[in-house]
Amino acid sequence: MAQAGIVAGGSPSKKVSDVAIEFPDVSFADDEGFTTALADVVNVGYAEAEAGIFKPGYLRTSASEIAGFIKAGVLIVASVPSPETPSSRVPLGCISLKKLGENRAELGLFAVAIEQRGSGIGRDLIDWAERWCLDNLGGPGVAIVQLDLLVPTHFTHQFKVRLDLWYTKRGYRMTGSRDFTLDYPHLAPQLAGPTEYRLYEKTLV
């Protein structure tokens, strides 16, 4: 389950300085403070953005899963300096990037700390991911990025509406949809109601 998109909404925040966006070194996976903080960023963001989709208590990720993504080299992280963790960084957001083929990649686990929404970090994360795809997946007109958006079908979720508009403005187009429970039956008991995930893609130029 890729599922991207906890960036829309919130009041404009002051631009943070000294932000680094990168695939963190694998040593970050052993920094429990870093992985726990990043898991919290994701879980808090998704709890708000997916309110009413999952039953209370559902968590999108965990520190151990975040560590695994870092070790696998599939998680792009925005962070700032901090003396409080072994890695000397504090995470502000992330986006996963999984290569699916010679010219295609999938984005997911897209989240920004709530207090940083409106600061441009979400935009910078997806810009960084798309540039990486351009450089590594065949270049303009060849590289394709895809993502999906989890949407309830029993009510209109305003946050998802805003995300759809945000992705559309960035050049993504919806290519189809699937019943979430068919592909992720183990998560079906966690859902609060009927849900589908909508598939988007963009050919980079």
Side-chain angles (χ1 to χ4, degrees):
M1 177 175 59
Q3 195 183 333
I6 311 303
V7 294
S11 301
S13 300
K14 183 179 179 181
K15 184 72 173 180
V16 179
S17 59
D18 297 326
V19 177
I21 298 177
E22 60 188 349
F23 287 108
D25 185 83
V26 294
S27 62
F28 280 61
D30 297 321
D31 183 344
E32 186 175 351
F34 186 89
T35 57
T36 297
L38 188 50
D40 287 345
V41 167
V42 174
N43 287 327
V44 170
Y46 273 77
E48 178 191 359
E50 298 191 336
I53 296 177
F54 287 99
K55 295 176 182 176
Y58 171 76
L59 295 178
R60 177 62 182 84
T61 191
S62 64
S64 60
E65 184 176 57
I66 293 291
F69 290 152
I70 292 174
K71 289 179 180 178
V74 297
L75 193 65
I76 301 163
V77 179
S79 67
V80 291
S82 171
E84 299 177 2
T85 63
S87 60
S88 300
R89 310 291 301 183
V90 169
L92 302 180
C94 64
I95 187 169
S96 64
L97 191 159
K98 180 181 179 182
K99 187 176 178 181
L100 301 179
E102 290 186 2
N103 72 320
R104 182 180 289 268
E106 181 180 56
L107 303 181
L109 205 69
F110 189 13
V112 173
I114 289 177
E115 65 271 16
Q116 297 301 330
R117 290 186 192 163
S119 68
I121 289 175
R123 181 198 62 230
D124 292 345
L125 275 164
I126 200 167
D127 283 348
W128 198 100
E130 289 180 355
R131 283 196 300 271
W132 187 95
C133 291
L134 272 174
D135 292 342
N136 293 276
L137 299 179
V142 177
I144 298 172
V145 177
Q146 68 181 57
L147 54 85
D148 57 62
L149 189 63
L150 193 63
V151 180
T153 58
H154 57 298
F155 71 97
T156 299
H157 199 295
Q158 293 301 323
F159 198 96
K160 300 296 184 175
V161 171
R162 294 198 297 272
L163 278 174
D164 172 79
L165 291 172
W166 193 74
Y167 286 129
T168 300
K169 288 180 180 179
R170 289 195 60 94
Y172 288 83
R173 61 184 182 88
M174 195 172 82
T175 59
S177 63
R178 291 182 61 87
D179 184 333
F180 182 76
T181 61
L182 293 179
D183 287 347
Y184 304 100
H186 62 290
L187 291 176
Q190 302 281 355
L191 292 172
T195 304
E196 67 181 12
Y197 63 101
R198 298 174 184 172
L199 312 175
Y200 295 75
E201 70 174 43
K202 175 182 180 180
T203 300
L204 302 176
V205 295

